């Protein structure tokens, strides 16, 4: 990876969704940005940002989406729109050199879709797919879900799965293993 960045910006997004893909990918909208800023030297979280985002194409959340994420209609109705939320993320990052990281490529792609829709720039530098890095650190081609990766490491899942800020916190806990700074423990016997 070369020189470690000054900071890693671990982000997890939640977006409008429904069962069986009834909301096409191109019109899904971010409804939560969870960001954890991790010190590049110590790999300790130093700051975080959590914001809901108000969807405008399909402003009503589906029952499936609310059950999956626990994000309510009231949460998003009172939230800023994407341009306001992304400006808050930009202020959060400030002038720091921070490598954008996420579990897989979904979050990067969804940011690009929403930014293009609104015509706003993203305050993000680069991208590291921690899911891919985790598999590489294990020396396997299998891709783990975030919860499975925590389980493989013997770490409990903290918070609510499919909530942006909680997932970002959990992904930040996996980061040191994925980039090879902390050895991955040997797998226990298959149960």
């Amino acid at each position: 990876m070369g020189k470690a960045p000054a900071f890693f910006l671990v982000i997890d997004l939640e977006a409008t969704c429904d069962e069986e893909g009834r909301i096409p990918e191109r019109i899904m909208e971010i409804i939560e940005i969870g960001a954890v800023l991790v010190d590049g030297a110590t790999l300790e979280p130093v700051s975080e940002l959590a914001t809901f985002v108000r969807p405008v194409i399909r402003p009503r959340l589906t029952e499936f989406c609310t059950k999956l994420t626990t994000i309510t209609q009231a949460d998003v109705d009172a939230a800023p729109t994407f341009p306001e939320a992304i400006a808050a993320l930009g202020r959060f990052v400030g002038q720091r050199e921070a490598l954008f990281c996420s579990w897989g490529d979904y979050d990067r792609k969804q940011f690009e879709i929403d930014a293009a829709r609104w015509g706003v720039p993203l305050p993000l530098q680069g991208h590291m797919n921690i899911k891919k890095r985790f598999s590489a650190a294990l020396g396997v081609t299998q891709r783990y879900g975030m919860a499975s990766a925590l389980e493989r490491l013997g770490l409990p899942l903290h918070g609510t799965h499919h909530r942006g800020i909680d997932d970002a916190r959990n992904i930040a806990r996996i980061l040191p293993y994925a980039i090879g700074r902390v050895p991955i423990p040997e797998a226990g016997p298959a149960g």
Side-chain angles (χ1 to χ4, degrees), residues 13-63:
L13 304 175
E14 300 305 327
T16 54
C17 56
D18 200 0
E19 303 103 325
E20 301 153 19
R22 285 191 289 233
I23 297 179
E25 210 172 273
R26 298 296 302 170
I27 65 164
M28 289 173 70
E29 294 174 273
I30 295 168
I31 57 172
E32 183 188 12
I33 299 171
V36 176
L37 192 66
V38 176
D39 184 289
T42 66
L43 298 183
E44 290 295 319
V46 292
S47 191
E48 57 184 46
L49 169 82
T51 183
F52 293 118
V53 183
R54 183 169 15 112
V56 295
I57 295 173
R58 294 223 176 152
R60 306 270 341 137
L61 298 181
T62 63
E63 185 179 339

Coordinates of all heavy atoms in Angstrom, one line a residue, residues 13-63:
L13 N -22.8 3.6 4.2 CA -24.0 4.3 3.8 C -25.2 3.4 3.9 O -25.1 2.1 3.7 CB -23.9 4.7 2.3 CG -22.7 5.6 1.9 CD1 -22.8 5.8 0.4 CD2 -22.8 6.9 2.6
E14 N -26.3 3.9 4.1 CA -27.6 3.2 4.0 C -28.4 4.0 2.9 O -28.2 5.2 2.8 CB -28.4 3.2 5.3 CG -27.7 2.5 6.5 CD -27.2 1.1 6.2 OE1 -27.9 0.4 5.4 OE2 -26.1 0.7 6.7
A15 N -29.2 3.3 2.2 CA -29.9 3.9 1.1 C -31.3 3.3 1.0 O -31.6 2.3 1.6 CB -29.2 3.6 -0.3
T16 N -32.2 4.1 0.3 CA -33.5 3.6 0.1 C -33.5 2.2 -0.6 O -32.6 1.9 -1.4 CB -34.3 4.6 -0.8 OG1 -33.6 4.8 -2.1 CG2 -34.6 5.9 -0.2
C17 N -34.4 1.3 -0.2 CA -34.3 0.0 -0.7 C -35.7 -0.7 -0.5 O -36.6 -0.2 0.2 CB -33.3 -0.9 0.1 SG -33.5 -0.9 1.9
D18 N -35.9 -1.8 -1.1 CA -37.1 -2.6 -1.0 C -36.7 -4.1 -1.3 O -35.6 -4.3 -1.9 CB -38.1 -2.1 -2.0 CG -39.5 -2.6 -1.6 OD1 -39.7 -3.2 -0.6 OD2 -40.5 -2.2 -2.3
E19 N -37.6 -5.0 -1.0 CA -37.3 -6.4 -1.3 C -37.2 -6.6 -2.8 O -37.7 -5.8 -3.6 CB -38.5 -7.3 -0.8 CG -38.8 -7.3 0.6 CD -40.1 -6.5 0.9 OE1 -40.3 -5.5 0.2 OE2 -40.8 -6.9 1.8
E20 N -36.4 -7.6 -3.1 CA -36.3 -8.0 -4.5 C -36.0 -6.9 -5.5 O -36.4 -6.9 -6.7 CB -37.6 -8.7 -4.9 CG -38.0 -9.9 -4.1 CD -39.5 -10.2 -4.0 OE1 -40.2 -9.7 -4.9 OE2 -39.9 -10.9 -3.1
G21 N -35.2 -5.9 -5.0 CA -34.7 -4.9 -6.0 C -35.8 -4.1 -6.6 O -35.6 -3.6 -7.8
R22 N -36.9 -3.9 -6.0 CA -38.0 -3.1 -6.6 C -37.7 -1.6 -6.7 O -38.4 -0.9 -7.4 CB -39.3 -3.3 -5.8 CG -39.9 -4.7 -6.2 CD -41.3 -4.8 -5.6 NE -41.3 -4.8 -4.2 CZ -42.0 -5.8 -3.5 NH1 -42.6 -6.7 -4.1 NH2 -41.9 -5.8 -2.2
I23 N -36.6 -1.1 -6.0 CA -36.2 0.2 -6.3 C -34.9 0.0 -7.1 O -33.9 -0.5 -6.5 CB -35.9 1.0 -5.0 CG1 -37.2 1.2 -4.2 CG2 -35.3 2.3 -5.3 CD1 -37.1 1.9 -2.9
P24 N -34.9 0.4 -8.4 CA -33.7 0.2 -9.2 C -32.5 0.9 -8.6 O -32.6 2.0 -8.0 CB -34.1 0.8 -10.5 CG -35.5 0.8 -10.5 CD -36.0 1.0 -9.1
E25 N -31.3 0.3 -8.8 CA -30.0 0.9 -8.3 C -29.9 2.4 -8.6 O -29.4 3.2 -7.8 CB -28.9 0.1 -8.8 CG -27.7 0.0 -7.9 CD -26.6 -1.0 -8.3 OE1 -26.8 -2.1 -8.0 OE2 -25.7 -0.5 -9.1
R26 N -30.2 2.7 -9.9 CA -29.9 4.1 -10.3 C -30.8 5.1 -9.6 O -30.5 6.3 -9.6 CB -30.2 4.2 -11.8 CG -29.3 3.4 -12.7 CD -27.8 3.8 -12.6 NE -27.4 5.1 -13.0 CZ -26.2 5.6 -12.8 NH1 -25.3 4.9 -12.3 NH2 -26.0 6.9 -13.1
I27 N -31.9 4.7 -8.9 CA -32.7 5.7 -8.2 C -32.7 5.5 -6.7 O -33.4 6.1 -6.0 CB -34.2 5.8 -8.8 CG1 -34.9 4.5 -8.5 CG2 -34.2 6.2 -10.2 CD1 -36.4 4.6 -8.7
M28 N -31.9 4.5 -6.3 CA -31.7 4.4 -4.8 C -31.0 5.7 -4.4 O -30.2 6.3 -5.1 CB -30.8 3.2 -4.5 CG -31.4 1.9 -4.7 SD -30.3 0.5 -4.5 CE -30.0 0.5 -2.7
E29 N -31.3 6.1 -3.1 CA -30.7 7.4 -2.6 C -30.2 7.1 -1.2 O -30.8 6.4 -0.4 CB -31.8 8.5 -2.5 CG -32.4 8.9 -3.8 CD -33.5 9.9 -3.5 OE1 -34.7 9.4 -3.4 OE2 -33.3 11.1 -3.5
I30 N -29.1 7.8 -0.9 CA -28.5 7.7 0.4 C -29.4 8.2 1.5 O -30.0 9.3 1.3 CB -27.1 8.4 0.5 CG1 -26.1 7.7 -0.5 CG2 -26.6 8.5 1.9 CD1 -24.9 8.5 -0.8
I31 N -29.6 7.5 2.6 CA -30.5 8.0 3.7 C -29.7 8.1 5.0 O -30.2 8.7 5.9 CB -31.7 7.2 3.9 CG1 -31.4 5.7 4.1 CG2 -32.7 7.4 2.7 CD1 -32.6 4.9 4.5
E32 N -28.5 7.6 5.0 CA -27.6 7.8 6.2 C -26.1 7.7 5.7 O -25.8 6.8 4.9 CB -27.8 6.7 7.2 CG -27.0 7.0 8.5 CD -27.0 5.8 9.5 OE1 -27.5 4.8 9.2 OE2 -26.6 6.1 10.6
I33 N -25.3 8.6 6.3 CA -23.9 8.6 6.1 C -23.3 8.4 7.5 O -23.5 9.2 8.4 CB -23.3 9.9 5.5 CG1 -23.9 10.1 4.1 CG2 -21.8 9.8 5.4 CD1 -23.6 11.5 3.5
G34 N -22.6 7.3 7.7 CA -21.8 7.1 8.9 C -20.4 7.1 8.6 O -19.9 6.4 7.7
A35 N -19.6 7.9 9.2 CA -18.2 8.1 8.9 C -17.4 8.1 10.2 O -17.7 8.8 11.2 CB -18.0 9.4 8.2
V36 N -16.3 7.3 10.2 CA -15.4 7.2 11.3 C -14.0 7.6 10.8 O -13.5 7.0 9.8 CB -15.4 5.8 12.0 CG1 -14.3 5.7 13.1 CG2 -16.7 5.4 12.5
L37 N -13.4 8.6 11.4 CA -12.0 9.0 11.0 C -11.1 8.3 11.9 O -11.2 8.3 13.1 CB -11.9 10.5 11.2 CG -10.7 11.2 10.6 CD1 -10.7 11.1 9.1 CD2 -10.6 12.6 11.1
V38 N -10.2 7.5 11.3 CA -9.2 6.7 12.0 C -7.8 7.2 11.8 O -7.4 7.5 10.6 CB -9.3 5.2 11.4 CG1 -8.3 4.3 12.1 CG2 -10.7 4.7 11.7
D39 N -7.1 7.4 12.8 CA -5.7 7.9 12.8 C -4.8 6.8 12.0 O -4.9 5.6 12.3 CB -5.2 8.1 14.2 CG -3.8 8.7 14.2 OD1 -2.8 7.9 13.8 OD2 -3.6 9.8 14.6
G40 N -4.1 7.3 11.0 CA -3.3 6.4 10.2 C -2.2 5.7 10.9 O -1.7 4.6 10.5
A41 N -1.7 6.4 11.9 CA -0.5 5.8 12.7 C -1.0 4.8 13.7 O -0.4 3.7 13.8 CB 0.3 7.0 13.3
T42 N -2.0 5.2 14.5 CA -2.4 4.4 15.7 C -3.6 3.4 15.3 O -3.8 2.5 16.0 CB -2.9 5.3 16.8 OG1 -4.1 6.0 16.4 CG2 -1.8 6.2 17.3
L43 N -4.2 3.7 14.2 CA -5.5 3.0 13.8 C -6.6 3.1 14.8 O -7.5 2.2 14.8 CB -5.1 1.5 13.4 CG -4.2 1.4 12.2 CD1 -4.0 -0.1 11.9 CD2 -4.7 2.1 11.0
E44 N -6.5 4.1 15.6 CA -7.6 4.4 16.6 C -8.6 5.4 16.0 O -8.2 6.4 15.4 CB -7.0 4.9 17.9 CG -6.2 4.0 18.7 CD -7.0 2.8 19.2 OE1 -8.2 3.0 19.7 OE2 -6.5 1.7 19.2
P45 N -9.9 5.2 16.2 CA -10.9 6.2 15.8 C -10.6 7.5 16.5 O -10.4 7.4 17.8 CB -12.2 5.6 16.2 CG -11.9 4.1 16.4 CD -10.5 4.0 16.8
V46 N -10.7 8.6 15.8 CA -10.5 9.9 16.5 C -11.7 10.8 16.4 O -11.8 11.7 17.2 CB -9.2 10.6 15.9 CG1 -7.9 9.9 16.3 CG2 -9.3 10.8 14.4
S47 N -12.6 10.5 15.5 CA -13.8 11.4 15.4 C -14.8 10.6 14.5 O -14.4 9.7 13.8 CB -13.4 12.7 14.7 OG -14.4 13.6 14.8
E48 N -16.0 11.1 14.6 CA -17.1 10.4 13.8 C -18.2 11.4 13.4 O -18.4 12.4 14.1 CB -17.6 9.2 14.4 CG -18.2 9.3 15.7 CD -18.7 7.9 16.3 OE1 -17.9 7.0 16.2 OE2 -19.8 7.9 16.8
L49 N -18.8 11.1 12.3 CA -19.9 11.9 11.8 C -21.1 11.0 11.5 O -20.8 9.9 10.8 CB -19.5 12.7 10.6 CG -20.7 13.4 9.9 CD1 -21.0 14.7 10.5 CD2 -20.3 13.7 8.4
A50 N -22.3 11.3 11.9 CA -23.4 10.5 11.5 C -24.5 11.5 11.1 O -24.8 12.4 11.8 CB -23.9 9.6 12.6
T51 N -25.1 11.3 9.9 CA -26.2 12.2 9.5 C -27.1 11.4 8.6 O -26.8 10.5 7.8 CB -25.7 13.4 8.7 OG1 -26.8 14.2 8.4 CG2 -24.9 13.0 7.4
F52 N -28.4 11.6 8.9 CA -29.4 11.1 8.0 C -29.5 12.0 6.8 O -29.0 13.1 6.8 CB -30.8 11.0 8.7 CG -30.9 10.1 9.8 CD1 -31.1 10.5 11.1 CD2 -30.7 8.7 9.6 CE1 -31.2 9.6 12.2 CE2 -30.7 7.8 10.6 CZ -31.0 8.2 11.9
V53 N -30.0 11.5 5.7 CA -30.2 12.3 4.5 C -31.6 12.1 3.9 O -32.1 11.0 3.9 CB -29.1 11.8 3.4 CG1 -29.2 12.6 2.1 CG2 -27.7 11.8 4.0
R54 N -32.2 13.2 3.5 CA -33.6 13.2 3.1 C -33.6 12.8 1.6 O -33.1 13.4 0.7 CB -34.2 14.5 3.3 CG -35.7 14.6 2.9 CD -36.4 15.8 3.3 NE -35.6 16.9 3.7 CZ -35.4 18.1 3.0 NH1 -36.1 18.3 1.9 NH2 -34.6 19.0 3.5
P55 N -34.3 11.6 1.3 CA -34.5 11.2 -0.1 C -35.5 12.1 -0.8 O -36.5 12.6 -0.1 CB -34.9 9.8 0.0 CG -35.6 9.7 1.3 CD -35.0 10.7 2.2
V56 N -35.3 12.4 -2.1 CA -36.3 13.2 -2.8 C -37.0 12.5 -4.0 O -38.1 12.9 -4.3 CB -35.6 14.5 -3.3 CG1 -35.2 15.4 -2.2 CG2 -34.5 14.2 -4.3
I57 N -36.4 11.5 -4.5 CA -37.0 10.7 -5.6 C -38.1 9.9 -5.1 O -39.2 9.9 -5.6 CB -36.0 9.9 -6.4 CG1 -34.9 10.7 -7.1 CG2 -36.7 9.0 -7.4 CD1 -33.8 9.9 -7.7
R58 N -37.8 9.1 -4.1 CA -38.8 8.3 -3.4 C -38.8 8.7 -1.9 O -38.1 8.0 -1.1 CB -38.5 6.8 -3.6 CG -38.7 6.4 -5.0 CD -39.4 5.0 -5.0 NE -39.6 4.6 -6.4 CZ -39.7 3.4 -6.7 NH1 -39.6 2.4 -5.9 NH2 -40.0 3.1 -8.0
P59 N -39.4 9.8 -1.5 CA -39.3 10.3 -0.2 C -39.8 9.4 0.9 O -39.4 9.6 2.1 CB -40.0 11.7 -0.2 CG -40.8 11.7 -1.5 CD -40.2 10.7 -2.4
R60 N -40.8 8.5 0.6 CA -41.3 7.6 1.6 C -40.5 6.3 1.7 O -40.3 5.7 0.6 CB -42.8 7.2 1.2 CG -43.7 8.4 1.0 CD -44.5 9.0 2.1 NE -44.7 8.2 3.3 CZ -44.5 8.8 4.5 NH1 -44.2 10.0 4.7 NH2 -44.8 8.1 5.6
L61 N -40.0 6.0 2.8 CA -39.2 4.8 3.0 C -40.2 3.6 3.0 O -41.3 3.7 3.4 CB -38.5 4.8 4.4 CG -37.5 5.9 4.6 CD1 -36.9 5.7 6.0 CD2 -36.4 5.9 3.5
T62 N -39.7 2.5 2.4 CA -40.5 1.3 2.4 C -40.5 0.7 3.8 O -39.5 0.9 4.6 CB -40.0 0.3 1.4 OG1 -38.7 -0.1 1.8 CG2 -40.0 0.9 0.0
E63 N -41.5 -0.2 4.1 CA -41.5 -0.9 5.3 C -40.2 -1.8 5.4 O -39.6 -1.9 6.5 CB -42.8 -1.8 5.4 CG -42.9 -2.5 6.7 CD -44.2 -3.3 6.8 OE1 -45.1 -3.0 6.0 OE2 -44.3 -4.2 7.6

